Structure formats: C-alpha cells, structure tokens
Amino acid sequence: MSVVEQYARAHILTDADLPEEDDGGAIPVVLRYDPDHDPRSVCVGLPGRGRRRVAREWSFSRDLLERGLRAPTGSGEVRVWPCGRVQTVVEFHSPQGCSVVQFETKALIRFLSRTYATAAEPVPH
C-alpha cells in the first residue's frame, strides 16, 4: 500500500512551536499515513526551526482525528475538537509542553479521504 503524505496549511497557536520565519500566517504542517507501518494511525509533523524540516511529530489514532472533526474527543497526549464550522484544533501534550495547531477542516477531511482510499487499494498479486 502507498504512503499518503499531504501538506496542510495550519496556524500554530503556541509560541514555543512557531518557526523562526513565522509572520503570523499559516504554515505548512505534514500529515502522513503509512498503512504498512500502522494502518490505524496518522502522523502530524510540525515544521522545525532553521534547516530542520520537521521539529516534532505525533502519531495517533486515525479514528480520533475523524471523531474530532465533529465533537471534542481525546485524552492524554492528543485532543481534537471542531472550532466553528470550518476549522479544527488539534492539541498535543508532551513532557516539553503543549502544542496547539488549528487546521482548516476541509484539509483534514481531504487527508482522511485519501487515507481510506489508500487502505482500500487491492493488494498486488
């Protein structure tokens, strides 16, 4: 099966996670799904500072992301909730602190649709 990798524009709402070149606008965040690694999980990678492409990466349940588009869900390290009709907030907790990222819901729906399409691909003989 193929890996799905998609960049989504997002607003980082926590100061510690802002890239050095941030001008207050949306920045690219990497969304990734690798069904060969774990077909039930997705990854979100926040951009790094300087030359680092990804500073931090979180892996969590694809189902959690999908449920969070409709209603607040999650506990522990990852929480997801709708923010109005067009945005979704994902909150990541780690020993280093909390990272809060706001996405356009359409981008997350498009990503999830691609992951389900990939998971449904037939296995080559």
Side-chain angles (χ1 to χ4, degrees):
M1 289 190 234
S2 352
V3 173
V4 173
E5 187 170 281
Q6 175 179 315
Y7 285 87
R9 304 289 294 166
H11 289 275
I12 308 293
L13 305 177
T14 42
D15 291 342
D17 296 310
L18 292 174
E20 291 169 351
E21 62 277 354
D22 180 59
D23 60 2
I27 57 172
V29 173
V30 179
L31 305 171
R32 188 170 350 99
Y33 172 70
D34 184 349
D36 293 330
H37 177 71
D38 184 352
R40 291 173 295 222
S41 294
V42 294
C43 282
V44 174
L46 299 182
R49 293 178 178 251
R51 297 182 193 271
R52 292 176 60 195
R53 181 175 169 213
V54 175
R56 283 199 252 171
E57 190 171 81
W58 284 270
S59 182
F60 58 96
S61 163
R62 178 171 59 166
D63 184 58
L64 178 103
L65 180 59
E66 185 174 7
R67 285 183 289 124
L69 299 177
R70 295 182 301 277
T73 190
S75 62
E77 292 184 355
V78 181
R79 297 177 184 138
V80 183
W81 66 91
C83 181
R85 295 186 330 188
V86 298
Q87 300 195 338
T88 300
V89 173
V90 183
E91 184 177 278
F92 302 101
H93 294 265
S94 71
Q96 293 77 32
C98 176
S99 298
V100 181
V101 184
Q102 187 176 42
F103 292 91
E104 285 190 18
T105 302
K106 283 183 185 180
L108 296 177
I109 291 170
R110 189 170 36 252
F111 171 69
L112 285 169
S113 295
R114 291 179 64 207
T115 70
Y116 286 111
T118 296
E121 288 177 359
V123 177
H125 295 275

